[in-house]
Amino acid sequence: MDAVTPKDPVRARRRRIARIADLAQRGGYILFGAAVVAFVVAFIVGFSPAWVTFIVTCMAIGSILLAPAIVAGYAVKAAERDDLEHGR
């Protein structure tokens, strides 16, 4: 902690949440991308149960990661914007 500019615990927590949300969003989008690529490959070579399981698993885990991460990302941005508008 710097003596001149004390660290704001609320902003530090927001930065931490934003960082986690960003990582979760990246992971979710990577999994969605993998599902799309796997779908194209499976379409070309033929859908087997393994391909379908992989695609559905990627989409399910991607959705589980993305949904709260997108909400948390927007919440952090809105809170920062509100602080700037009110001079905090």
Side-chain angles (χ1 to χ4, degrees):
M1 197 180 279
D2 191 357
V4 178
T5 55
K7 189 174 183 181
D8 184 1
V10 173
R11 288 217 165 154
R13 184 170 180 169
R14 280 188 201 150
R15 278 192 300 273
R16 193 169 45 252
I17 292 170
R19 194 170 36 249
I20 292 168
D22 185 50
L23 288 172
Q25 284 180 12
R26 287 181 189 194
Y29 286 126
I30 287 171
L31 286 170
F32 273 25
V36 169
V37 170
F39 181 86
V40 171
V41 171
F43 183 78
I44 293 169
V45 300
F47 286 96
S48 68
W51 280 113
V52 173
T53 301
F54 179 76
I55 293 166
V56 170
T57 302
C58 284
M59 294 198 64
I61 295 172
S63 296
I64 290 169
L65 285 174
L66 269 176
I70 290 171
V71 171
Y74 277 118
V76 168
K77 289 175 189 172
E80 285 295 323
R81 187 173 43 248
D82 187 60
D83 279 356
L84 290 173
E85 288 174 1
H86 292 95
R88 291 182 228 157

